[in-house]
């Protein structure tokens, strides 16, 4: 399970976002949830994809400025992070390299093609002006992806984003979350505000930090959102196109303030569970177990750490000393964030540690892999090319020029290294904002 970044702030009296463990793109969360469900509960994810038939190549220079190709029309799928429903995972990008476009250039999506991989020429820029719902006539300045799941159960992944609605500091703040609905052509239309009934809210905290999952076991995606004072808002899906949960929303008790995704069926009972952290940064955490009425039962508690992940290896907690594994064994690895995936396709869960001097891999979650496949921030872990092995999308920025970056896709391999030596794909997010 991994955390995510909070939205920006605006307006007098805004209490500001609570710090979070870290920011992870939607594809990583959705894929991690599907992987963990399969690993821990014995359930399958989306439909199988065909073997890879070819791969995109690096985009540089003029090629990075090529015209945008239309999003292929999909018919719906159960694949995680698949906004156009064509059976291939897509990649969400929040931090876009840009110059002179304000604080928030928007959210980028690179669409995948089944059996092929991500195709940067098939992309979509979600700007607040075009895609965000205004509040009191004002377009949000902040616009960041938070979670992705099929909230209306139509076969197309939807994107939950955070905004900064105006707030004068008096009374209960507005809900900053909006839903951008997927469609056969990807994200379509303006967002709608998430409706949280008064009975499912507590206190005057900002209702944010959404986590997707099937917490009541009915096969439909739900949302868990921060409330306050040790409580969460449980919003059972499916959701209406106006942003309201069709089920009965309610408060659920919690042992902490920060619900953290991706959700996973930790105890194998057929319902998703959610990790709840005491606060951002280094903090203790507890699993809130799902059930017929949502996440109510307190599960295992974990020691203080910056991140927690689950897999076939059990539980991994990232502490100041390294990765603490089940049974009390510690692997000395430097980093701040954990991700999981099956990089060599052997059915085990591999562990990726990032946020240090370079990415570090633990095969089967416990055996350190010599060397590092380079630095950068992990955006997503997913089987982009459909070969049965997960790949890693990493964003690397330039110290010399923050307006320059590269996104590389490192392909999973059956070798002992777990990842191919050379990137399968490389491009700059500047292609979204090039004029």
């Amino acid at each position: 399970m991994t955390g995510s970044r909070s939205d920006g702030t605006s307006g007098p009296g805004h209490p500001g976002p609570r710090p979070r463990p870290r920011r992870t793109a939607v594809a990583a969360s959705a894929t991690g949830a599907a992987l963990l469900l399969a690993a821990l509960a014995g359930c399958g994810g989306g439909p199988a994809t065909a073997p890879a038939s070819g791969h995109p190549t690096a985009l540089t220079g003029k090629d990075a400025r090529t015209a945008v190709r239309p999003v292929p029309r999909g018919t719906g799928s159960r694949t995680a992070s698949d906004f156009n429903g064509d059976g291939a995972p897509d990649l969400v990008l929040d931090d876009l390299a840009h110059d002179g476009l304000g604080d928030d250039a928007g959210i980028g999506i690179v669409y995948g093609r089944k059996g092929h991989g991500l195709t940067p020429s098939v992309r979509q820029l979600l700007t607040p002006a075009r895609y965000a719902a205004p509040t009191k006539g004002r377009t949000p300045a902040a616009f960041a992806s938070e979670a992705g799941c099929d909230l209306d159960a139509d076969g197309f992944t939807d994107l939950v984003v955070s905004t900064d609605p105006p707030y004068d500091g008096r009374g209960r703040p507005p809900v900053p979350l909006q839903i951008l609905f997927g469609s056969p052509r990807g994200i379509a239309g303006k967002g709608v505000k998430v409706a949280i009934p008064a009975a499912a809210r507590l206190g005057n905290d900002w209702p944010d930090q959404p986590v997707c999952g099937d917490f009541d076991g009915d096969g439909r995606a739900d949302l868990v959102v921060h409330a306050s004072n040790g409580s969460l808002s449980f919003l059972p899906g499916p959701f209406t196109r106006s942003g309201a949960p069709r089920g009965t929303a309610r408060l659920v008790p919690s042992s902490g303030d920060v619900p953290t995704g991706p959700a996973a069926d930790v105890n194998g009972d057929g319902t998703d569970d959610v990790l709840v952290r005491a606060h951002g940064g280094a903090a203790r955490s507890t699993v809130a177990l799902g059930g017929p009425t949502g996440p109510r039962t307190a599960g295992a508690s974990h020691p203080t750490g910056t991140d927690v992940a689950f897999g076939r290896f059990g539980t991994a907690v990232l502490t100041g000393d390294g990765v603490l594994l089940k049974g009390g064994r510690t692997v000395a690895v430097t980093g701040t964030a954990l991700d999981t995936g099956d990089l060599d396709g052997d059915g085990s869960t591999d562990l990726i540690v990032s946020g240090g001097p370079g990415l570090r891999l633990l095969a089967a979650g416990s055996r350190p892999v010599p060397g590092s496949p380079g630095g950068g921030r992990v955006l997503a872990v997913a089987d982009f090319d459909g070969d049965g092995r997960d790949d890693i999308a990493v964003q690397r920025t330039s110290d010399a020029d923050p307006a320059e970056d590269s996104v590389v896709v490192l392909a999973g391999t059956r070798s002992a290294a777990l990842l191919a030596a050379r990137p399968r794909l490389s491009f700059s997010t500047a292609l979204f904002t090039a004029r």
Side-chain angles (χ1 to χ4, degrees):
M1 294 186 179
T2 51
S4 55
R5 181 190 64 188
S6 59
D7 58 14
T9 61
S10 176
H14 195 302
R18 287 172 305 283
R20 297 190 179 185
R22 68 187 191 92
R23 169 75 179 80
T24 303
V26 172
S29 298
T31 303
L35 170 68
L36 293 171
L37 279 170
L40 299 174
C43 300
T49 52
S53 57
H55 306 284
T57 55
L59 297 181
T60 57
K62 293 182 179 179
D63 291 335
R65 305 292 194 262
T66 55
V68 180
R69 292 166 51 194
V71 176
R73 185 177 181 85
T75 59
S77 80
R78 295 182 59 200
T79 300
S81 197
D82 182 10
F83 300 101
N84 63 328
D86 66 348
D90 309 315
L91 178 64
V92 177
L93 299 153
D94 261 302
D95 299 318
L96 304 180
H98 65 280
D99 185 18
L101 296 179
D103 292 335
D104 197 333
I107 302 167
I109 298 179
V110 173
Y111 285 86
R113 180 155 61 91
K114 192 172 180 178
H116 180 77
L118 295 173
T119 307
S121 60
V122 182
R123 61 186 185 267
Q124 186 177 19
L125 177 61
L126 309 177
T127 61
R130 181 172 180 181
Y131 287 93
T135 299
K136 297 181 179 179
R138 173 180 143 181
T139 298
F143 201 55
S145 68
E146 294 288 348
C149 49
D150 185 5
L151 289 172
D152 58 351
D154 65 350
F156 304 94
T157 301
D158 310 309
L159 185 64
V160 183
V161 300
S162 61
T163 66
D164 59 343
Y167 174 56
D168 61 8
R170 295 191 294 267
R172 181 167 284 176
V175 178
L177 304 175
Q178 298 186 13
I179 303 172
L180 304 179
F181 288 102
S183 78
R185 291 294 189 185
I187 297 295
K190 281 188 176 291
V192 300
K193 299 172 185 177
V194 173
I196 303 180
R201 292 193 63 176
L202 180 67
N204 291 333
D205 282 5
W206 285 84
D208 56 8
Q209 300 170 96
V211 177
C212 287
D214 180 11
F215 302 107
D216 54 11
D218 67 351
R220 306 297 178 88
D222 315 311
L223 283 179
V224 164
V225 178
H226 165 80
S228 67
N229 299 326
S231 294
L232 304 175
S233 297
F234 171 55
L235 310 178
F239 281 64
T240 68
R241 280 291 179 136
S242 61
R246 285 193 172 95
T248 302
R250 51 192 170 274
L251 286 167
V252 297
S254 168
S255 59
D257 284 339
V258 188
T260 306
D265 185 2
V266 174
N267 60 351
D269 68 347
T271 62
D272 278 341
D273 313 308
V274 61
L275 187 76
V276 184
R277 298 172 59 81
H279 52 74
R284 69 183 191 279
S285 59
T286 304
V287 174
L289 298 174
T293 59
R296 299 186 64 90
T297 306
S301 296
H302 303 293
T304 298
T306 58
D307 211 348
V308 180
F310 300 90
R312 286 186 180 274
F313 53 79
T315 304
V317 180
L318 189 57
T319 70
D321 299 322
V323 177
L324 177 63
L325 299 170
K326 185 177 180 180
R329 174 176 170 239
T330 297
V331 179
V333 180
T334 301
T336 59
L338 298 176
D339 290 277
T340 59
D342 183 3
L343 302 177
D344 55 2
D346 67 351
S348 66
T349 311
D350 304 311
L351 194 61
I352 304 107
V353 185
S354 59
L359 302 180
R360 307 299 299 189
L361 308 179
L362 301 181
S366 61
R367 299 190 304 274
V369 175
S372 170
R377 181 168 60 93
V378 175
L379 299 173
V381 182
D383 183 8
F384 291 113
D385 54 16
D387 65 355
R389 299 184 294 270
D390 282 331
D391 315 307
I392 303 179
V394 178
Q395 187 173 28
R396 296 168 176 165
T397 55
S398 168
D399 293 332
D401 187 352
E404 295 182 0
D405 74 344
S406 65
V407 174
V408 298
V409 176
L410 305 171
T413 175
R414 298 190 191 281
S415 71
L418 297 185
L419 291 174
R422 299 184 62 182
R424 170 109 355 122
L425 168 69
S426 178
F427 65 91
S428 171
T429 64
L431 60 86
F432 283 94
T433 57
R435 298 178 181 180

